[in-house]
């Protein structure tokens, strides 16, 4: 198998499936890329059109019913209307024998609703699946955790970090968009169904509070009610050992639904438990946050994300500097790149304005039809995982001249060979709702990694281009380096993944922080060891 064939095989493993553009998001994957979420606006606009036609039909029907009502009422209000008049007597009998029957059994209402249902069924295949609702709910919980957001604040439409008594505004939207009781219930129920009561309880508490405030109001679109929220919240408190709260909420439930035998049995059970262990009535249950991915570096990772991109200032470390970079390349002499050294160990630099707005937009447009759910290596397989929420596509440089120009620019700046098989095709990534990639290495840490199928060695370097800006979040955090780099539109980050000895640099453990607000796009160019022997020669020191 030749180098080109080996590269094609690797990219097939990495889920680029030629001839199968993802023009429509796969059901259950809408939440994993914001461009897919944006496409969901189109079917909702179609549904709005259907509902508008239904409302107009119903308004016309109700106007006609009002006309009939007013006509008959006027006859009854006129005390001088004698039934001795044969014409009036005839119309009375006709109304009671025929007209009222036609009004009551009119098919117009059922025809209107049938048209609405038929239209919905045609659109239904383009709508997000329940898995998308679950993914979006988990995204809100992720943002809640990583950025220490207040659930009450989120329900009001504000992004506030709460630490003790201190409240910090992380983002101020131009327009506040608050959540309903049913919205909060759905988030809490996703956590509840996973047995995650740490997240379920605050969201269900907010749902109960909002439902209480609007009790008696009927909303067509709501799936849940105050009773549903009380039921779930009571059992969640029971599961974490707070019997007193479980009892109080269950009693409140019975005020609204006194005939519910299951809840009545629960009340008796909770009363018995409290009678047997009175201390439980005052004990505060401490609910531990679940560490689903078992991240040993979770605290450091989240602290770096919360800084929203902070690194040592240049005056604190004089060896960090800014310069115009030409890398002794004729290509860059007339247009040097602005270089900012971010960190020394690991060596990380930021190249400002590496691409133009036009180039960034072009690359996003080329990738969008091919975006598929991002995966990670799991043994010999590639699987979608909760700790990486995004979609990605691979672009050959033959797709468009802009990619050839980009490769030329990267090669001139780094001095490395970026042509296959010594480098991978450009990977373009669009992050989803709360999209992130938890701490990971770009280079292979196992000899069985699919990366070695190219037979061009490990990933020696990463060149990552920010193709968009975001309003908040989305920084790149280097865990062991203890610094993070914010999203800088059109800039590019470069770092070495391997020491000159070929050994992996543990300091490059990094993560893509969850996107708090915004549409984050990046492009990755991974460069391999082979082909760089004279461009980045080995050092005489094994420590380098």
């Amino acid at each position: 198998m030749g180098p080109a064939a080996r590269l094609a095989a690797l990219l097939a493993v990495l889920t680029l499936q030629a001839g199968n553009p993802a023009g429509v998001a796969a059901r259950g994957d809408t939440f994993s890329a914001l461009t897919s979420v944006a496409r969901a606006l189109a079917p909702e606009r179609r549904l709005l059109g259907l509902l508008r036609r239904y409302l107009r039909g119903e308004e016309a029907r109700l106007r006609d019913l009002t006309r009939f009502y007013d006509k008959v009422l006027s006859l009854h209000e006129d005390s001088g209307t004698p039934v001795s008049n044969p014409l009036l007597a005839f119309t009375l009998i006709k109304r009671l024998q025929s007209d009222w029957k036609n009004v009551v059994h009119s098919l117009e209402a059922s025809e209107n609703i049938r048209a609405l249902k038929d239209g919905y069924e045609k659109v239904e295949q383009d709508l997000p699946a329940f898995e998308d609702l679950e993914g979006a709910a988990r995204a809100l919980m992720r943002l809640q955790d990583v950025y220490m957001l207040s659930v009450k604040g989120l329900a009001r439409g504000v992004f506030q970090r709460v630490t003790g008594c201190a409240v910090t505004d992380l983002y101020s939207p131009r327009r506040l968009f608050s959540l309903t009781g049913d919205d909060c219930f759905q988030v809490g129920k996703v956590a509840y169904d996973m047995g995650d009561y740490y997240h379920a309880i605050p969201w269900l508490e907010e749902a109960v509070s909002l439902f209480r405030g609007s009790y008696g109001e009927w909303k067509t679109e709501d799936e849940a009610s105050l009773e549903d929220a009380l039921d779930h919240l009571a059992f969640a408190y029971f599961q974490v050992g707070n019997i007193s709260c479980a009892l109080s909420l269950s009693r409140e439930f019975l005020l609204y639904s006194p005939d519910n035998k299951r809840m009545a049995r629960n009340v008796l059970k909770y009363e018995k438990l409290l009678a047997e262990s009175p201390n439980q009535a005052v004990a505060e249950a401490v609910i531990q946050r679940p560490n689903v991915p078992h991240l040993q570096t979770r605290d450091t990772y989240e602290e770096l994300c919360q800084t929203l991109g902070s690194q040592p200032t240049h005056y604190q470390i004089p060896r960090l500097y800014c310069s115009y970079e030409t890398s002794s390349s004729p290509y860059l002499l007339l247009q040097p790149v602005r270089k900012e050294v971010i960190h020394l160990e690991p060596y990380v630099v930021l190249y400002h304005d590496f691409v133009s707005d036009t180039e960034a937009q072009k690359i996003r447009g080329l990738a969008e039809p091919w975006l598929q759910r991002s995966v990670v290596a799991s043994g010999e397989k590639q699987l979608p995982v909760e700790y990486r929420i995004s979609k990605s596509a691979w672009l050959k440089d033959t797709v468009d001249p802009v990619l050839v120009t980009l490769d030329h620019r990267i090669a001139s700046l780094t001095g490395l060979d970026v042509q296959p098989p010594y480098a991978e095709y450009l990977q373009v990534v669009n992050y989803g709702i709360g999209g992130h990639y938890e701490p990971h290495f770009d280079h292979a840490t196992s000899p069985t990694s699919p990366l070695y199928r190219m037979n061009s060695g490990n990933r020696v370097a990463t060149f990552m281009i920010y193709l968009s800006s975001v309003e908040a979040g989305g920084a790149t955090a280097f865990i062991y380096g203890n610094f993070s780099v914010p999203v800088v539109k059109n800039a590019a980050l470069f770092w070495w993944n391997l020491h000159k000895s070929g050994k992996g640099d543990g300091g490059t453990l990094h993560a893509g922080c969850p996107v708090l607000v915004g549409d984050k796009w990046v492009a990755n160019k991974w460069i391999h060891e082979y082909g760089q022997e004279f461009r980045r020669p080995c050092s005489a020191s094994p420590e380098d």
Side-chain angles (χ1 to χ4, degrees):
M1 182 182 292
R6 286 194 294 269
L7 179 60
L10 171 65
L11 295 183
V13 171
L14 296 174
T15 72
L16 176 62
Q17 298 177 353
N20 183 28
V24 177
R27 283 180 63 80
D29 272 350
T30 299
F31 75 97
S32 62
L34 217 62
T35 187
S36 299
V37 177
R39 279 200 295 268
L41 290 169
E44 184 165 54
R45 282 193 289 268
R46 290 163 62 190
L47 290 174
L48 281 172
L50 291 169
L51 186 58
R52 182 174 61 250
R53 287 194 290 273
Y54 169 76
L55 290 173
R56 287 174 178 170
E58 286 294 282
E59 287 167 356
R61 184 177 68 86
L62 291 174
R63 280 196 301 271
D64 191 52
L65 285 175
T66 303
R67 177 199 55 77
F68 176 77
Y69 171 83
D70 290 340
K71 181 183 77 170
V72 176
L73 181 63
S74 67
L75 294 173
H76 282 261
E77 288 178 340
D78 186 357
S79 57
T81 304
V83 292
S84 56
N85 184 323
L87 297 177
L88 292 174
F90 168 78
T91 56
L92 171 62
I93 292 174
K94 176 181 176 290
R95 283 198 308 275
L96 294 175
Q97 199 282 325
S98 174
D99 295 3
W100 278 101
K101 185 190 299 183
N102 292 334
V103 167
V104 171
H105 295 286
S106 170
L107 296 178
E108 193 174 359
S110 58
E111 288 171 354
N112 287 340
I113 195 66
R114 183 70 259 169
L116 181 62
K117 290 180 178 179
D118 288 346
Y120 176 83
E121 289 172 2
K122 292 177 182 177
V123 178
E124 192 170 12
Q125 62 181 358
D126 298 329
L127 303 182
F130 180 70
E131 290 81 4
D132 289 305
L133 177 62
E134 290 181 314
R138 288 195 299 270
L140 292 181
M141 297 178 225
R142 183 184 314 123
L143 296 174
Q144 169 193 347
D145 289 342
V146 173
Y147 297 110
M148 301 176 68
L149 297 177
S150 159
V151 171
K152 284 189 175 295
L154 286 173
R156 297 197 313 273
V158 297
F159 298 81
Q160 294 178 326
R161 176 163 60 230
V162 179
T163 50
C165 297
V167 178
T168 306
D169 286 326
L170 297 184
Y171 173 73
S172 299
R174 290 187 293 272
R175 175 188 174 191
L176 287 182
F177 182 83
S178 58
L179 300 179
T180 66
D182 190 64
D183 295 333
C184 294
F185 175 81
Q186 294 299 337
V187 178
K189 189 173 184 301
V190 168
Y192 177 95
D193 290 341
M194 296 189 300
D196 175 8
Y197 304 112
Y198 174 89
H199 291 105
I201 286 174
W203 284 101
L204 291 173
E205 281 183 334
E206 194 60 26
V208 166
S209 175
L210 291 169
F211 276 131
R212 283 172 179 155
S214 61
Y215 191 75
E217 297 178 12
W218 180 70
K219 294 180 180 177
T220 307
E221 70 271 21
D222 282 359
E223 184 175 321
S225 63
L226 175 59
E227 290 90 328
D228 293 320
L230 288 168
D231 187 5
H232 285 76
L233 182 57
F235 189 73
Y237 269 121
F238 168 70
Q239 287 293 91
V240 300
N242 194 330
I243 310 301
S244 180
C245 278
L247 176 59
S248 175
L249 292 163
S250 300
R251 285 172 172 167
E252 182 180 352
F253 178 100
L254 289 175
L255 294 176
Y256 302 106
S257 184
D259 297 329
N260 191 296
K261 295 180 180 179
R262 177 179 58 82
M263 191 59 72
R265 289 194 299 269
N266 285 350
V267 166
L268 293 175
K269 179 172 72 173
Y270 299 152
E271 289 174 341
K272 182 179 179 182
L273 288 171
L274 288 176
E276 292 172 352
S277 303
N279 292 334
Q280 284 188 309
V282 293
E284 279 287 334
V286 179
I287 311 171
Q288 295 294 328
R289 173 185 159 191
N291 186 5
V292 177
H294 306 291
L295 272 179
Q296 295 179 347
T297 58
R298 185 176 72 178
D299 291 344
T300 303
Y301 159 58
E302 292 181 354
E303 286 171 7
L304 290 170
C305 291
Q306 289 163 18
T307 62
L308 300 182
S310 68
Q311 59 270 352
T313 53
H314 294 166
Y315 67 86
Q316 292 174 321
I317 304 178
R319 288 181 297 167
L320 300 180
Y321 63 91
C322 294
S323 67
Y324 283 100
E325 183 67 49
T326 64
S327 298
S328 301
S329 167
Y331 183 79
L332 297 174
L333 283 177
L334 296 178
Q335 192 174 4
V337 178
R338 291 190 296 149
K339 172 183 176 181
E340 178 183 356
V341 179
I342 300 291
H343 207 265
L344 297 174
E345 293 182 4
Y347 181 75
V348 179
V349 296
L350 184 69
Y351 296 108
H352 291 266
D353 296 318
F354 182 76
V355 294
S356 66
D357 286 342
T358 302
E359 289 172 325
Q361 184 177 0
K362 180 69 173 179
I363 294 168
R364 294 197 306 266
L366 291 170
E368 186 170 354
W370 299 94
L371 290 172
Q372 296 183 14
R373 179 70 185 270
S374 297
V375 295
V376 300
S378 178
E380 293 295 314
K381 297 181 179 179
Q382 299 282 320
L383 300 173
V385 289
E386 184 65 19
Y387 61 82
R388 186 184 188 188
I389 300 298
S390 63
K391 287 185 177 181
S392 54
W394 299 84
L395 298 178
K396 296 182 179 181
D397 58 6
T398 54
V399 169
D400 192 274
V402 73
L403 301 178
V404 177
T405 302
L406 188 69
D407 277 353
H408 191 186
R409 196 178 302 155
I410 295 172
S412 299
L413 190 58
T414 62
L416 300 174
D417 189 341
V418 300
Q419 293 302 307
Y422 307 122
E424 297 168 39
Y425 297 137
L426 191 71
Q427 185 199 53
V428 182
V429 182
N430 181 219
Y431 287 80
I433 306 171
H436 69 144
Y437 193 174
E438 288 183 353
H440 63 283
F441 292 107
D442 280 355
H443 62 276
T445 56
S446 166
T448 61
S449 169
L451 290 177
Y452 288 112
R453 296 182 188 178
M454 284 177 66
N455 288 339
S456 58
N458 209 339
R459 287 173 172 168
V460 68
T462 293
F463 201 94
M464 185 178 76
I465 308 166
Y466 292 121
L467 298 175
S468 68
S469 60
V470 297
E471 283 84 350
T476 303
F478 287 81
I479 311 305
Y480 296 136
N482 197 33
F483 68 98
S484 55
V485 184
V487 175
V488 181
K489 185 181 180 184
N490 297 343
L493 267 182
F494 173 80
W495 67 88
W496 297 106
N497 293 308
L498 307 180
H499 292 292
K500 288 186 177 181
S501 63
K503 182 181 177 182
D505 186 347
T508 63
L509 183 73
H510 63 286
C513 295
V515 180
L516 185 58
V517 182
D519 186 9
K520 181 182 175 183
W521 288 79
V522 301
N524 296 306
K525 189 72 172 181
W526 285 301
I527 306 162
H528 284 240
E529 291 177 280
Y530 299 174
Q532 322 303 338
E533 292 85 350
F534 298 103
R535 298 168 184 267
R536 195 206 187 202
C538 295
S539 170
S541 170
E543 302 301 320
D544 289 346

